[in-house]
Amino acid sequence: MRTFAPNFMLMYTLKESWIAMFGDMPMSDWDGKMYCMETDAGKTFRTNETQGFLSAYTFTLVTEGWLKFLCNGRMLTLQADDLYFYSPGLSVTIVSASENYRGICLMADEHTTIEIPTVRDLVNIAYLPIVQLHEPKLALPRATAQHLAARMREIIAYLHSDHIYKGEVLRMLYTVFLLDVQNAQQQAITRRLIPQRVEEIFIGFIRLLPQHFAEHRDIAFYASRLNISQVYLSRVVRQVTGRTVIDYINQMLLMEASFLLRTTSMSITQIADHLHFADTPSFSKFFSRLKGMSPKDYRKQ
């Protein structure tokens, strides 16, 4: 039985979550890093059995029917051709589903996702679902939905194959899938007909953010570099994404901290200093608040 420090959320790994829901491994040789499957209402309701938070990214594409669920206390409805994103730490409860509900669900362990080389570059782009900054669903054109469904079914095929390079192929397909989703999100933003000046400011902010997020966490810095007021920058970011400048900065810090904890031998104190926190306790408090566990527990996990 795993034990957790008090006041931290219970975070299930993908493998632990699967066993809690279904009682056994989906395949005898499964490494717990990634899985993709066709799903229905019965399988989907089993996610409520974990009563915790999943340490994985999941992408659910609805192919038929509808599904209603609570996401961080907010009721959302998915219909055919909707794509839903789940980021680690979100609280989700399935409420109801149509009898004919069908979907495809792709799940990837958080650490596996972070280790994909392109992810750290992709996360700098505003519309990637890994940075959970806006409503976690996207209504797709039918052709785009069918394209993503084909991509997900290709992953299913390789999961159940005896390909000698299966792990490498799956990582490549997952990266391509993320690029396809990013492309779909950018096209959705374009269809919203955001004024050109607003779009230019937002893109300017997104280009500045990867270079300065660790050292500069104040709106004033980015507004000054863009030659606009703090109020106007805040308004632009909220208009395009529905969230705040600080949300973006914090999520960039969290992703970078997670990456360093997972893939380097830097001490927690060194990481706190690298990310320009005042001290180690300040960094630990920030990380625990957003991730649901301390940096030490995250690294041990």
Side-chain angles (χ1 to χ4, degrees):
M1 177 70 69
R2 296 173 64 190
T3 58
F4 293 79
N7 300 322
F8 290 138
M9 296 182 297
L10 177 61
M11 295 286 286
Y12 289 88
T13 65
L14 180 54
K15 184 176 289 188
E16 289 171 336
S17 177
W18 184 275
I19 293 174
M21 289 186 293
F22 299 103
D24 200 359
M25 303 279 277
M27 302 178 296
S28 59
D29 62 343
W30 188 45
D31 59 10
K33 293 183 177 180
M34 185 187 309
Y35 197 68
C36 190
M37 66 176 185
E38 305 271 357
T39 187
D40 56 25
K43 292 178 182 178
T44 300
F45 272 106
R46 290 196 177 191
T47 61
N48 291 342
E49 296 176 11
T50 59
Q51 295 298 310
F53 300 82
L54 182 60
S55 181
Y57 294 97
T58 71
F59 305 83
T60 301
L61 177 65
V62 180
T63 57
E64 186 178 358
W66 54 265
L67 178 73
K68 291 186 178 181
F69 60 98
L70 281 171
C71 179
N72 276 1
R74 181 181 178 187
M75 183 69 75
L76 295 176
T77 300
L78 299 179
Q79 299 176 332
D81 299 334
D82 282 351
L83 180 67
Y84 164 68
F85 320 124
Y86 175 89
S87 290
L90 285 179
S91 171
V92 175
T93 302
I94 307 301
V95 176
S96 60
S98 62
E99 291 185 2
N100 66 333
Y101 169 74
R102 298 291 184 277
I104 311 174
C105 184
L106 170 60
M107 301 161 280
D109 175 76
E110 180 181 13
H111 297 158
T112 299
T113 301
I114 291 173
E115 287 170 354
I116 293 176
T118 55
V119 166
R120 293 181 71 226
D121 296 327
L122 289 173
V123 81
N124 298 337
I125 301 172
Y127 314 121
L128 190 70
I130 287 177
V131 184
Q132 194 71 56
L133 296 179
H134 197 26
E135 184 173 89
K137 72 170 187 174
L138 184 63
L140 301 171
R142 175 53 60 88
T144 303
Q146 290 176 340
H147 173 79
L148 288 179
R151 187 76 69 193
M152 297 167 90
R153 290 185 173 113
E154 187 176 11
I155 291 174
I156 292 174
Y158 272 99
L159 274 166
H160 295 277
S161 75
D162 57 359
H163 198 291
I164 60 174
Y165 300 111
K166 179 164 66 173
E168 289 82 355
V169 172
L170 287 172
R171 283 193 292 273
M172 291 175 61
L173 289 175
Y174 183 38
T175 301
V176 173
F177 174 80
L178 292 176
L179 287 166
D180 283 344
V181 171
Q182 175 205 330
N183 179 66
Q185 289 187 308
Q186 288 180 328
Q187 291 179 351
I189 291 293
T190 302
R191 289 195 299 270
R192 286 168 54 188
L193 299 177
I194 293 175
Q196 183 177 356
R197 176 58 177 160
V198 170
E199 184 177 358
E200 289 174 353
I201 291 172
F202 181 70
I203 291 175
F205 166 65
I206 291 303
R207 287 174 175 169
L208 287 171
L209 189 59
Q211 305 170 45
H212 305 288
F213 71 91
E215 188 173 0
H216 296 284
R217 303 173 200 172
D218 56 302
I219 300 175
F221 170 80
Y222 299 97
S224 175
R225 293 292 297 269
L226 294 168
N227 297 313
I228 59 176
S229 70
Q230 298 179 51
V231 172
Y232 188 45
L233 176 58
S234 297
R235 185 185 306 157
V236 164
V237 173
R238 186 172 290 280
Q239 178 181 347
V240 175
T241 70
R243 299 301 292 270
T244 69
V245 173
I246 300 302
D247 284 334
Y248 268 84
I249 297 171
N250 285 346
Q251 290 292 340
M252 290 291 293
L253 284 166
L254 184 65
M255 176 61 78
E256 185 69 8
S258 299
F259 178 83
L260 294 174
L261 287 166
R262 173 63 177 165
T263 63
T264 75
S265 60
M266 293 172 67
S267 69
I268 293 174
T269 298
Q270 289 173 323
I271 293 173
D273 183 64
H274 176 75
L275 296 177
H276 296 275
F277 281 85
D279 49 41
T280 304
S282 297
F283 168 67
S284 296
K285 183 178 179 180
F286 166 85
F287 190 91
S288 298
R289 177 171 60 86
L290 294 185
K291 183 63 74 173
M293 64 178 68
S294 69
K296 181 179 179 180
D297 288 342
Y298 178 81
R299 173 168 271 175
K300 287 169 61 178
Q301 184 192 66

